[in-house]
Amino acid sequence: MIRSALSAALMLVFVLLAPRAEALDVQAETFTLANGMQVVVIPDHRAPVVTQMVWYRVGAADEPKGQAGIAHFLEHLMFKGTRKIPPGEFSKIIKKNGGEDNAFTAQDYTAYFQSIAKDRLALAMEMEADRMQNLKLTDADVLPERDVIGEERRSRIENDPASLMAEQINAALYTAHPYGKPIIGWMSEVEKLTRQNALDFYRTHYTPQNAILIVAGDVTADEVRPLAEKYYGVLANTANPPPRVRTPEPAPLAARRVSMSDPRVSVATLQRTYIAPSYRMAKGKPTAEALDLLAQVLGGGSTSRLYRSLVIDQKIATEAGAWYSGDALDTGSFGVYAVPPPGQEIAPLEAALDKALAELVEKGVTQAELTLAKNLLIAQTTYALDSSSQLARIFGQTLAIGGTLEDVTGWNERIEKVTLADVQAAAAEVLVLRGSVTSTLLPAPGAVQN
Amino acid sequence: MIRMLLAASFAWLLLVAAPAQAFTIKQVTSPGGISAWLVEDHTVPLISMNFSFKGGAAQDPANTQGLANFLTTMLDEGAGDLPSREFQTREQELAMRLSFNADADNFRGSFQTLSKNRDEAFAMLALALNKPRFDADPLERMRAQLLQGLEMDAQDPEAITSHAFMQQALGDHPYARNSDGTLEGVKAVTADDLRALHGRLFAREHLLISAVGDIDEKTLGALLDKTFSTLPEKSGMGDVPEMPSPKAASLTIVDRDIPQSIIQFGLPGIKRDDPDFIPAFVMNYVLGGGGFGSRLMEEVREKRGLSYSVWSDLYPLEQGGLIIGGAATRNEKAAETIDIIRQEIARLAAEGPTEQELADVKTFLTGSYALRFTSGRKTAAQLLGLQEQQLGIDYVDKRNGLVNAVTLADVKRVAERLLKDKPLLFTVTGRPVGVTASR
């Protein structure tokens, strides 16, 4: 009976990645369970193993005020046990079955995954489905884990000035939007998070209709479907997650500058980060694809414009590059950076960087640059096929922020179609000082450089 | 009660996870006599190839420490008739991936290409290996980046700790050096030094190669000849002297004004060819390998919340071995964390693992072995490692049997051999409270 109900909701998508000269025949299939949980299967029969990922459409940017870090804290606590699984046993059971597991939290999503022999997929599914609804927490488990997160923050952030600087840049870039708050949370709030905070967040957001299951590896959709129905399809929706409405970022008015010096910094860095449209915001327009190409032309490695101009020709930098981060539910960001040679000032480097950017906005990129960049980005999708667990991440991330399989599989074709005018228009739209933070990370005053 | 429920609910727990390998490794010898291990698999239009030359940073001359690492940066900075810019543009046109690294004992290359650009990409690799230019301009560019990298490492708490630990453990043995070199050494390197190292190191003797993906034996053989057969037969590299074992326990504090103490610890270890290697490998997973479930993870993180990461590992080298591990905790908890690490090492040395621990580690190690072969790139790296360790082409099939054959008595014996009353060294970077240095 369930089967026929399911068939109605079943949507099969046979996917051709990169439908160009390579003629790749990787197939991803998707269907939706009766409770609204989406399933994607990515077959890869090269090794007798599978990766299961469950993605929740909730992340740090969805946290209640005053509870920065609760999404990530809950991610840790999801390993603490249920009615069936004693505290701390989740990962041990996976290990005993020859598997590896972990999880991660981002601004827009939280994901849990296991890689394991294909005959243990049902076990991993049973356990993952169990903790979607039956999490059991006691202070005896929660409080030491909060200390662990304090140590994680000290390891990743407090002990590393570049990470501290990145937090300051984000806080300055977003005037109102919660992306300005670090995923791991500020220490002042992390230290006060409670068991109840975690349970409230769990009960609001962890429910089948808010989750996506991705299975990649030595399986077929026909094998996954009955298992997905058995373990996830039977779960009732226990929550109606609220719409993901975050405080919109107001139109930027002021160029911002942040500067930090620290005795632990030995090499100065100049960075500029711009607010940019994300793929989701620019849907239907070529802007996001153009920004990916722009980042490649401007700062993708040693053949890029910035590297050639600042490092090779002018010799006023030792490193230079650019990036675009467009996979977000709300805004994306675009950035450029450069490192001055030892003992040299930041100011002339910043002037040269500004000049290169102004020239780009004025004249755009060349056809040769665009062709080279397209070639490289499209080749990257072929390289991505080498790892089905990597493909699982790409699909999961896209779906978790409201995208579709076609957003992933049609990317090559959309990149191919971007024109010189598209790139120039995207550069003119994004490379605007009032939407940016210029940051300098410097050695402590008086410190001696080599 | 909970245990019972668990057993009923997750009954498959009792099965032994040991999936069969899904691939065949072929020994390929080219017409010109170059050998490689090949896994032919046409699923994805990619070819991954890894290779290594014997000899690495531990053989850097004393006055140019960092030379081997310097060479890793210069091979794609111009070769043959193509200066840096032209070489790298061509690499990008082909969308090929090429990188090199040097550890203490080996100089390795990692190469990937799309099938459609196969021959052109191999030709570029051949140029990089046979005819690097070492032009002055890119050389100075790489030097500047290497020097800045060393400056940054000198302030990075983990790098500081790891380098200080190796000096504490090995004194002036070459293995104690930072394989990235020293500021003085990198400043002193000349194009002639790089050329000389290239001449000594890149030889067919000791060359090891693994290839995985969309290529057959015959095609690979022809490309191996074009790429490697013009290299000289004999290597000019020597041997590293035998590594001394640390003789006495000690604790060193590197004073840094940081909120979290970085702790590294270590003991004398064993080489890969030691008959006890597999039992020792199993023992390490009881102590601190593999994350959750290890004794250190339970005691340091799960019960007490002292560290985000706590681990131990075997560290076998060509001329000796260490057992190393680490944790990071707020300064006021450093003393407690160090005490627990000491206690757990002593407890394992005295009692060995339980039957259950041994069984759990075995199912993890045997079941998860297949996870090392889930992409062409990972498989190529694994197969190169097996060749470097001289483990034989059938090792992938034998390996889980070797792990399963380890008995409780084996692990107890090896734990006593390696952990009991052995010189345990600690290096702590930060402002640890209640911790005293000792020599």
Side-chain angles (χ1 to χ4, degrees):
Chain A
M1 272 323 175
I2 288 176
R3 238 194 189 299
S4 62
L6 193 72
S7 305
L10 195 84
M11 179 182 62
L12 276 183
V13 180
F14 285 93
V15 168
L16 275 178
L17 261 161
R20 303 173 69 251
E22 294 99 301
L24 306 177
D25 59 348
V26 162
Q27 297 176 345
E29 244 178 82
T30 184
F31 52 91
T32 303
L33 302 176
N35 56 18
M37 185 167 174
Q38 188 176 1
V39 184
V40 177
V41 183
I42 306 165
D44 170 13
H45 305 292
R46 288 176 297 165
V49 295
V50 291
T51 295
Q52 166 181 246
M53 305 192 85
V54 169
W55 295 69
Y56 292 95
R57 295 183 188 90
V58 63
D62 301 298
E63 291 166 345
K65 273 224 176 327
Q67 295 178 30
I70 193 66
H72 172 249
F73 190 26
L74 173 62
E75 176 229 297
H76 278 231
L77 296 175
M78 286 288 283
F79 292 85
K80 289 303 180 190
T82 64
R83 192 177 55 77
K84 288 182 190 166
I85 310 258
E89 288 295 318
F90 191 99
S91 295
K92 290 180 210 161
I93 294 170
I94 295 295
K95 265 181 88 173
K96 283 173 201 177
N97 282 276
E100 295 173 351
D101 72 326
N102 215 325
F104 51 88
T105 307
Q107 292 287 4
D108 293 324
Y109 48 78
T110 311
Y112 301 82
F113 63 93
Q114 303 84 32
S115 291
I116 199 160
K118 61 185 275 193
D119 64 349
R120 308 298 156 94
L121 175 60
L123 168 69
M125 282 190 170
E126 180 175 1
M127 290 171 63
E128 196 63 82
D130 174 47
R131 71 174 166 177
M132 189 185 295
Q133 301 212 305
N134 301 316
L135 184 65
K136 209 173 109 187
L137 296 177
T138 64
D139 275 348
D141 302 315
V142 169
L143 298 178
E145 199 60 32
R146 193 172 65 189
D147 289 341
V148 168
I149 289 184
E151 296 302 344
E152 183 179 0
R153 203 189 134 81
R154 276 183 276 272
S155 286
R156 290 185 194 275
I157 317 276
E158 330 273 337
N159 256 6
D160 177 19
S163 299
L164 288 168
M165 180 90 249
E167 283 192 346
Q168 297 300 309
I169 293 168
N170 262 341
L173 188 64
Y174 297 99
T175 311
H177 193 281
Y179 287 167
K181 152 176 89 68
I183 293 164
I184 198 168
W186 303 111
M187 196 69 104
S188 54
E189 287 183 3
V190 167
E191 285 173 343
K192 298 193 174 75
L193 295 173
T194 66
R195 173 180 159 275
Q196 195 56 48
N197 294 151
L199 285 173
D200 289 346
F201 196 75
Y202 173 71
R203 287 177 187 138
T204 308
H205 297 285
Y206 281 51
T207 190
Q209 62 181 329
N210 209 31
I212 300 152
L213 169 67
I214 314 247
V215 181
D218 194 11
V219 285
T220 63
D222 286 342
E223 290 168 328
V224 169
R225 201 175 294 121
L227 293 171
E229 277 175 39
K230 178 176 174 189
Y231 295 111
Y232 295 101
V234 296
L235 303 180
N237 277 305
T238 50
N240 258 319
R244 304 180 80 184
V245 180
R246 290 85 170 260
T247 308
E249 185 60 20
L253 299 176
R256 281 138 281 169
R257 296 189 74 88
V258 294
S259 183
M260 186 177 121
S261 59
D262 188 301
R264 295 172 291 170
V265 174
S266 47
V267 176
T269 312
L270 167 69
Q271 182 174 316
R272 182 166 309 132
T273 315
Y274 301 87
I275 294 263
S278 62
Y279 269 90
R280 185 166 181 268
M281 290 165 71
K283 189 138 190 167
K285 292 185 286 185
T287 313
E289 289 81 1
L291 288 171
D292 260 326
L293 288 162
L294 178 65
Q296 181 60 39
V297 171
L298 192 59
S302 56
T303 55
S304 69
R305 253 191 201 207
L306 288 180
Y307 190 90
R308 284 198 168 161
S309 166
L310 304 177
V311 179
I312 299 182
D313 295 338
Q314 300 183 58
K315 303 194 193 312
I316 54 169
T318 56
E319 303 265 12
W323 77 90
Y324 169 55
S325 170
D327 290 316
L329 192 64
D330 298 318
T331 68
S333 61
F334 189 95
V336 292
Y337 68 91
V339 174
Q344 295 202 16
E345 297 291 321
I346 292 272
L349 180 56
E350 186 175 347
L353 182 66
D354 280 336
K355 193 165 166 245
L357 296 173
E359 196 177 293
L360 185 81
V361 170
E362 194 191 327
K363 298 189 183 144
V365 303
T366 67
Q367 186 61 56
E369 285 175 322
L370 184 61
T371 305
L372 199 58
K374 282 182 179 180
N375 185 45
L376 206 68
L377 293 195
I378 290 169
Q380 279 173 12
T381 62
T382 306
Y383 282 111
L385 297 178
D386 190 33
S387 164
S388 61
S389 58
Q390 189 57 35
L391 287 175
R393 284 188 182 226
I394 294 169
F395 280 104
Q397 175 176 306
T398 303
L399 295 175
I401 56 176
T404 63
L405 292 193
E406 293 79 5
D407 287 339
V408 178
T409 57
W411 188 73
N412 278 354
E413 289 169 305
R414 299 198 312 275
I415 286 287
E416 189 69 54
K417 285 187 191 138
V418 171
T419 64
L420 285 172
D422 294 335
V423 176
Q424 194 173 358
E429 180 183 341
V430 170
L431 301 177
V432 177
L433 270 181
R434 69 171 181 278
S436 78
V437 176
T438 305
S439 54
T440 54
L441 178 60
L442 304 166
V448 183
Q449 283 191 285
N450 76 306
Chain B
M1 240 4 238
I2 284 172
R3 282 272 166 203
M4 300 265 293
L5 272 172
L6 188 70
S9 171
F10 299 105
W12 20 41
L13 243 159
L14 303 171
L15 301 172
V16 174
Q21 300 308 322
F23 57 87
T24 315
I25 310 167
K26 273 188 282 189
Q27 169 85 52
V28 173
T29 304
S30 73
I34 308 282
S35 292
W37 289 7
L38 167 66
V39 173
E40 184 177 342
D41 183 322
H42 303 282
T43 315
V44 179
L46 291 172
I47 298 152
S48 302
M49 185 170 79
N50 288 37
F51 51 91
S52 72
F53 299 103
K54 194 174 168 189
Q59 295 186 48
D60 284 347
N63 60 340
T64 50
Q65 284 182 46
L67 180 61
N69 186 50
F70 209 137
L71 184 60
T72 67
T73 69
M74 287 302 297
L75 297 168
D76 66 349
E77 289 288 345
D81 294 333
L82 301 176
S84 169
R85 180 178 297 215
E86 284 72 18
F87 189 92
Q88 295 187 345
T89 302
R90 185 72 187 129
E91 277 187 307
Q92 196 166 15
E93 284 166 0
L94 295 169
M96 59 185 283
R97 296 181 172 185
L98 177 61
S99 64
F100 297 91
N101 74 79
D103 68 11
D105 290 322
N106 294 287
F107 191 102
R108 299 191 186 92
S110 167
F111 166 79
Q112 273 191 302
T113 178
L114 307 175
S115 304
K116 64 173 182 177
N117 297 337
R118 182 190 67 209
D119 291 358
E120 295 91 333
F122 267 90
M124 292 294 285
L125 171 63
L127 266 190
L129 290 176
N130 287 279
K131 295 180 177 166
R133 292 168 63 93
F134 305 122
D135 288 335
D137 204 46
L139 192 148
E140 292 312 319
R141 219 159 40 232
M142 293 305 108
R143 191 197 311 278
Q145 290 176 6
L146 289 166
L147 290 173
Q148 284 188 326
L150 287 170
E151 298 269 12
M152 289 170 79
D153 261 11
Q155 297 297 333
D156 176 69
E158 303 214 354
I160 293 169
T161 311
S162 139
H163 297 145
F165 172 82
M166 290 303 279
Q167 282 173 9
Q168 185 183 339
L170 304 178
D172 55 5
H173 187 273
Y175 283 161
R177 296 175 185 168
N178 178 357
S179 60
D180 291 347
T182 59
L183 291 173
E184 299 71 32
V186 170
K187 281 178 188 165
V189 168
T190 65
D192 282 342
D193 294 327
L194 291 164
R195 242 172 246 124
L197 175 62
H198 174 260
R200 288 197 296 277
L201 182 61
F202 286 24
R204 292 164 57 178
E205 186 185 22
H206 311 309
L207 168 64
L208 301 172
I209 304 168
S210 62
V212 178
D214 187 19
I215 190 164
D216 61 37
E217 192 173 338
K218 188 154 173 270
T219 313
L220 178 65
L223 288 168
L224 290 178
D225 280 347
K226 284 187 184 164
T227 309
F228 296 103
S229 68
T230 47
L231 294 173
E233 170 60 27
K234 282 285 168 198
S235 164
M237 300 301 278
D239 277 321
V240 176
E242 195 179 329
M243 190 189 99
S245 265
K247 295 286 181 287
S250 61
L251 190 153
T252 303
I253 297 172
V254 183
D255 179 66
R256 281 288 194 280
D257 186 11
I258 48 177
Q260 187 183 52
S261 290
I262 311 296
I263 299 167
Q264 189 167 334
F265 64 90
L267 298 144
I270 53 176
K271 298 203 290 190
R272 182 62 184 82
D273 60 7
D274 191 293
D276 278 339
F277 186 85
I278 293 288
F281 180 71
V282 169
M283 175 200 82
N284 176 62
Y285 276 83
V286 176
L287 178 64
F292 291 101
S294 77
R295 289 186 176 185
L296 290 177
M297 198 70 163
E298 281 302 293
E299 298 300 322
V300 174
R301 173 170 164 160
E302 290 295 276
K303 287 191 188 159
R304 297 178 180 83
L306 293 172
S307 186
Y308 174 62
S309 161
V310 55
W311 57 279
S312 67
D313 209 352
L314 303 185
Y315 187 44
L317 291 149
E318 196 78 23
Q319 299 295 340
L322 292 168
I323 297 169
I324 55 174
T329 190
R330 47 207 183 278
N331 286 323
E332 55 272 27
K333 293 287 185 182
E336 183 182 351
T337 304
I338 289 170
D339 280 347
I340 293 166
I341 292 169
R342 281 189 207 281
Q343 283 165 24
E344 288 308 316
I345 290 172
R347 184 162 74 97
L348 190 57
E351 300 166 9
T354 65
E355 279 286 1
Q356 189 61 50
E357 280 176 316
L358 177 61
D360 290 349
V361 165
K362 283 182 180 181
T363 53
F364 170 63
L365 289 175
T366 53
S368 62
Y369 192 51
L371 298 177
R372 300 189 190 183
F373 303 93
T374 52
S375 70
R377 201 176 158 179
K378 281 165 76 175
T379 302
Q382 284 293 319
L383 299 189
L384 184 69
L386 297 181
Q387 292 179 75
E388 286 176 355
Q389 294 160 9
Q390 301 180 321
L391 290 170
I393 200 160
D394 57 349
Y395 185 80
V396 175
D397 292 328
K398 287 183 354 196
R399 187 266 195 188
N400 279 353
L402 296 174
V403 170
N404 278 329
V406 172
T407 64
L408 196 62
D410 289 334
V411 183
K412 279 186 175 164
R413 174 176 52 76
V414 169
E416 192 173 325
R417 174 187 164 195
L418 295 177
L419 306 180
K420 191 159 191 179
D421 303 326
K422 296 298 173 202
L424 178 55
L425 314 183
F426 282 92
T427 307
V428 186
T429 302
R431 296 265 160 94
V433 177
V435 178
T436 319
S438 66
R439 288 204 54 86

